[in-house]
């Protein structure tokens, strides 16, 4: 294996590429209800971002015969890390496909590959950061769009939660050893076997969660999460969804991550969206992963307080 002066690193979650079986419904949901702004449309793909997102897009939506997640994009810390990750992944036996600059609108050269579960990841560095046109532009120089222009209006993308039927420890270890994710909290079942891992490359509790369940496929997405600034925003979200007669689960507070949440589904694709706030940040370099038993998870881990209707939350994930 080639030696690196420094190990390649992932800086943050970049974007999710959604394919939907009902484009009109998905665009209505994400633009008018969630309140994302459309950067542009290229060859049938609509590129969206929240008012506080700086890069070209954090969500893309394309029409398809079925709904699925095409890929999940991650931004590297350095431009050379893209090529270094390619070599590292190939040395580990992972097939890598290069994506030419411009193949994905706004994005430079990138690589795509699959986890052992089949989830498709992309790593890039260069991404356009277009300004908003007049009329949508914020008066703040450090903000792209006007806040609260429409709908729920989250500030930014926050994390993704993935599902697999495969062994959780195997996938989590791959994310740790190959891509540099750190395990922050994890859940074991009644046999003391790990079934969920919450992981991050930033100070967040999780940029990605990986949940293992025998009832799902090997590569599914449970939800994509968008961040709001505070608890009052979550209550405002509940009012907006109720006014629009869109069903949702929440508000509530997770014990794991300590975040407040609402879950709502895109009627076009079935993709679940979490509106997410509060939580805590991790600055300790010697952080020890926190273990939750299944009994603890049932009592306080999943829902510390609030809406405990979990059936809608735990089924019907979108294929990734």
């Amino acid at each position: 294996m080639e030696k690196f002066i420094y190990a390649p690193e992932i800086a943050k979650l970049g974007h999710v590429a959604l394919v939907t079986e009902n484009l009109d419904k998905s665009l209505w949901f994400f633009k008018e209800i969630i309140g994302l702004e459309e950067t542009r449309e290229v060859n049938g793909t609509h590129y969206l971002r929240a008012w506080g997102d700086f890069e070209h897009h954090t969500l893309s939506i394309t029409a398809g015969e079925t709904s699925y997640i095409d890929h999940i994009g991650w931004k590297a810390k350095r431009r050379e890390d893209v090529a270094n990750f390619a070599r590292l992944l190939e040395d580990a036996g992972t097939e890598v496909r290069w994506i030419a600059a411009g193949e994905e609108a706004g994005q430079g050269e990138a690589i795509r590959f699959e986890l052992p579960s089949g989830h498709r990841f992309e790593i890039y560095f260069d991404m356009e950061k277009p300004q908003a046109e007049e009329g949508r532009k914020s008066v703040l120089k450090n903000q792209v769009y006007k806040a609260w222009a429409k709908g729920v209006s989250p500030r930014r993308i926050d994390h993704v939660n993935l599902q697999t039927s495969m062994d959780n420890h195997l996938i989590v270890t791959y994310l740790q050893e190959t891509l540099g994710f750190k395990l922050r909290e994890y859940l074991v079942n009644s046999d003391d076997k790990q079934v969920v891992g919450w992981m991050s490359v930033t100070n967040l509790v999780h940029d990605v969660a990986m949940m293992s369940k025998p009832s799902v496929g090997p590569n599914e997405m449970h939800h994509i999460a968008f961040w709001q600034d505070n608890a009052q925003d979550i209550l405002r979200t509940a009012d907006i969804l109720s006014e629009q007669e869109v069903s949702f689960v929440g508000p509530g507070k997770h014990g794991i991550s300590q975040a407040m949440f609402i879950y709502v589904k895109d009627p076009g694709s079935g993709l679940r969206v979490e509106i997410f706030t509060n939580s805590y940040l991790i600055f300790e370099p010697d952080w020890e992963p926190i273990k939750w038993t299944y009994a603890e998870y049932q009592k306080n881990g999943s829902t510390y307080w609030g809406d405990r209707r979990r059936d809608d939350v735990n089924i019907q994930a979108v294929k990734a």
Side-chain angles (χ1 to χ4, degrees):
M1 180 180 294
E2 181 177 348
K3 299 295 183 181
F4 299 112
I5 297 175
Y6 48 78
E9 297 177 88
I10 293 174
K12 64 165 189 169
L13 172 64
H15 55 268
V16 170
L18 170 66
V19 178
T20 176
E21 57 197 82
N22 192 318
L23 181 62
D24 289 340
K25 281 187 177 180
S26 290
L27 289 175
W28 168 79
F29 174 76
F30 281 106
K31 292 172 67 174
E32 304 305 323
I33 302 302
I34 300 301
L36 302 185
E37 299 283 354
E38 184 165 345
T39 309
R40 58 174 165 158
E41 179 270 327
V42 180
N43 297 326
T45 297
H46 298 258
Y47 294 91
L48 312 177
R49 56 182 175 172
W51 57 262
D53 285 323
F54 293 96
E55 292 197 319
H56 181 271
H57 58 280
T58 50
L59 178 69
S60 66
I61 306 178
T62 307
E65 292 185 2
T66 60
S67 297
Y68 62 94
I69 303 302
D70 183 77
H71 67 270
I72 301 163
W74 302 88
K75 186 180 180 77
K77 279 198 174 182
R78 296 165 287 264
R79 183 174 290 107
E80 59 268 29
D81 283 350
V82 177
N84 287 343
F85 264 122
R87 290 194 291 272
L88 186 153
L89 288 161
E90 289 171 340
D91 287 343
T94 300
E95 183 178 348
V96 172
R97 181 167 77 91
W98 280 90
I99 306 300
E103 183 174 329
E104 182 170 341
Q107 180 175 277
E109 194 173 46
I111 58 171
R112 285 186 194 162
F113 57 95
E114 290 185 359
L115 307 187
S117 58
H119 293 93
R120 189 179 298 112
F121 277 13
E122 176 178 83
I123 297 177
Y124 67 94
F125 179 79
D126 292 302
M127 177 73 80
E128 294 176 10
K129 297 181 180 180
Q131 294 296 310
E133 64 269 26
E134 293 301 325
R136 292 198 291 167
K137 186 177 181 179
S138 173
V139 298
L140 295 174
K141 297 181 72 174
N142 53 9
Q143 182 173 306
V144 182
Y145 296 100
K146 296 177 180 178
W148 310 112
K150 55 184 176 179
V152 171
S153 196
R155 177 184 285 269
R156 58 171 174 80
I157 193 172
D158 190 85
H159 67 265
V160 290
N161 187 307
L162 308 179
Q163 288 191 155
T164 183
S165 56
M166 296 186 65
D167 178 78
N168 192 259
H169 186 264
L170 184 153
I171 307 300
V172 166
T173 299
Y174 180 92
L175 289 168
Q176 289 176 294
E177 295 181 353
T178 309
L179 299 178
F181 284 87
K182 297 177 182 178
L183 183 62
R184 303 305 198 175
E185 304 194 45
Y186 67 101
L187 169 67
V188 298
N189 62 16
S190 56
D191 295 324
D192 201 40
K193 181 179 180 180
Q194 182 175 311
V195 291
V196 186
W198 288 265
M199 313 182 73
S200 68
V201 289
T202 66
N203 298 116
L204 301 178
V205 177
H206 63 313
D207 299 300
V208 62
M210 182 65 70
M211 305 194 302
S212 294
K213 297 177 65 177
S215 60
V216 303
N219 55 326
E220 296 186 0
M221 175 177 279
H222 186 273
H223 66 260
I224 179 176
F226 289 94
W227 172 266
Q228 289 191 313
D229 287 346
N230 54 53
Q232 183 60 43
D233 295 341
I234 295 291
L235 300 181
R236 177 179 175 274
T237 293
D239 283 345
I240 290 170
L241 295 176
S242 293
E243 186 67 33
Q244 294 293 328
E245 299 184 321
V246 176
S247 62
F248 59 93
V249 174
K253 180 176 179 177
H254 295 306
I256 296 169
S257 82
Q258 299 185 27
M260 287 187 65
F261 67 86
I262 278 178
Y263 291 103
V264 58
K265 281 189 176 182
D266 164 28
S269 67
L271 176 62
R272 186 180 294 100
V273 175
E274 182 180 24
I275 305 301
F276 186 89
T277 194
N278 292 345
S279 192
Y280 66 96
L281 299 175
I282 297 172
F283 296 99
E284 288 74 13
D286 55 350
W287 179 266
E288 291 293 331
I290 296 172
K291 176 180 177 179
W292 292 77
T293 67
Y294 185 70
E296 292 168 336
Y297 178 79
Q298 289 289 93
K299 183 178 180 181
N300 290 318
S302 177
T303 305
Y304 181 50
W305 55 256
D307 195 333
R308 291 182 180 268
R309 292 176 296 164
R310 305 304 296 171
D311 288 346
D312 180 64
V313 176
N314 285 325
I315 60 175
Q316 298 175 349
V318 173
K319 180 175 171 57

